[in-house]
Amino acid sequence: MSARSTAAALLDAHGTTYAQEAGIRLRDTPQPLYQLLVLSLLLSTRIRASVAVAAARALYAHGMRTPRRTADATWQQRVDALGEGGYRRYDERTATQLGEGATLLLETYGGDLRRLRRRADGDLDVLRDGLRRTPGIGPVGADIFLREAQDVWPEAAPYFDAKARQGAERLGLPTDPAALARLSGGHGPSVLAAALVRAALDRTSSGP
C-alpha cells in the first residue's frame, strides 16, 4: 500500500482531533483556545486519552469553559467535575493546577491566549515556553496544544510531535513533518497528527 493510501485509510478510521472528540469547536478565539489548553493538560498525564476527554467534557459541562469561570469555581467543584469524568487518579492535583493556570492566564494575558501568540510573533520556542508557564503544562502538554491548534495557528504547522511521528513510523509512513503534511489531504495536518497518535497508542499505554 502506498503512503497516500495508508494515510487515507488511517484518516477514514481515526480522522478526528482530540479537540473535536472533546466537543471543542476550535477557532482562534479565547474560549475554545482555553478549552484546548485544559484538554492538553488532561491528556498529558499518564492516563487513558478517553478518560482525559471525558474529564474535559465534564469540566465544560459544569461551566468551566473560560479561565474566569474556572478560577471562580471552588477547588472541590473542580475535583468533582474531574471525578465525574473518571479522572480520579490525579483529580486533586489537577484541580489545583487548573485553578492556578486559570488565574495565571487571566493575570498574564487577560484570559486570551491570542496575546501569547502575538507576543511569540511566529517563534515556536517562545510559544512553547509561554504555554509551559501554565501549571501542569510541560513539554508533552505544549506539544499536544500546538499539534491540535496548528490549523488555526498555521505558524505552528506542520506540527507532528514525537508521538505522532512514532505512529507514522509504525505504519511505514515518512516521519518528516512536511512530508506528512502533504499526506493530510483536505483534512488539515492536525487531523492526521491525531490519527497518527492513535496509531502509536495502539501499541503503547502512555498518554498522547
Side-chain angles (χ1 to χ4, degrees), residues 129-207:
D129 288 346
L131 292 168
R132 289 176 60 183
R133 289 189 61 200
T134 306
I137 297 287
V140 172
D143 276 343
I144 293 170
F145 182 93
L146 292 172
R147 189 181 74 210
E148 293 273 318
Q150 63 182 307
D151 291 343
V152 295
W153 285 6
E155 68 272 23
Y159 204 96
F160 292 86
D161 62 353
K163 186 65 74 174
R165 295 195 303 273
Q166 181 183 335
E169 185 174 10
R170 181 190 174 201
L171 296 172
L173 294 173
T175 56
D176 174 70
L180 286 171
R182 289 193 289 271
L183 296 174
S184 62
H187 293 272
S190 66
V191 179
L192 179 57
L196 289 169
V197 168
R198 291 186 175 92
L201 293 176
D202 282 345
R203 290 184 59 178
T204 65
S205 58
S206 58

Side-chain angles (χ1 to χ4, degrees), residues 71-87:
D72 287 348
T74 67
W75 178 82
Q76 190 60 54
Q77 286 172 327
R78 295 192 294 267
V79 169
D80 291 345
L82 290 167
E84 185 179 306
Y87 204 88

Side-chain angles (χ1 to χ4, degrees), residues 81-143:
L82 290 167
E84 185 179 306
Y87 204 88
R88 296 184 179 87
R89 184 176 175 188
Y90 304 104
D91 55 351
E92 294 187 356
R93 182 185 71 183
T94 302
T96 299
Q97 290 172 334
L98 287 169
E100 292 174 348
T103 299
L104 178 68
L105 182 56
L106 288 165
E107 292 176 349
T108 307
Y109 302 115
D112 188 349
L113 281 167
R114 295 177 301 179
R115 295 187 181 182
L116 168 61
R117 183 189 184 191
R118 288 194 291 271
R119 183 177 298 179
D121 194 25
D123 188 326
L124 284 188
D125 288 335
V126 174
L127 205 49
R128 286 191 199 94
D129 288 346
L131 292 168
R132 289 176 60 183
R133 289 189 61 200
T134 306
I137 297 287
V140 172
D143 276 343

Side-chain angles (χ1 to χ4, degrees), residues 17-41 43 56-57 60 63-68 70 105 111-114 117 131 137 144-146 148-153:
T17 65
Y18 286 97
Q20 289 169 335
E21 191 177 340
I24 302 170
R25 299 181 65 179
L26 194 57
R27 301 182 302 279
D28 187 28
T29 54
Q31 181 169 306
L33 290 171
Y34 173 69
Q35 290 176 321
L36 177 58
L37 187 70
V38 169
L39 177 63
S40 300
L41 187 160
L43 284 168
R57 282 183 167 273
Y60 309 151
M64 287 172 258
R65 303 183 189 91
T66 68
R68 172 55 61 197
T70 301
L105 182 56
D112 188 349
L113 281 167
R114 295 177 301 179
R117 183 189 184 191
L131 292 168
I137 297 287
I144 293 170
F145 182 93
L146 292 172
E148 293 273 318
Q150 63 182 307
D151 291 343
V152 295
W153 285 6

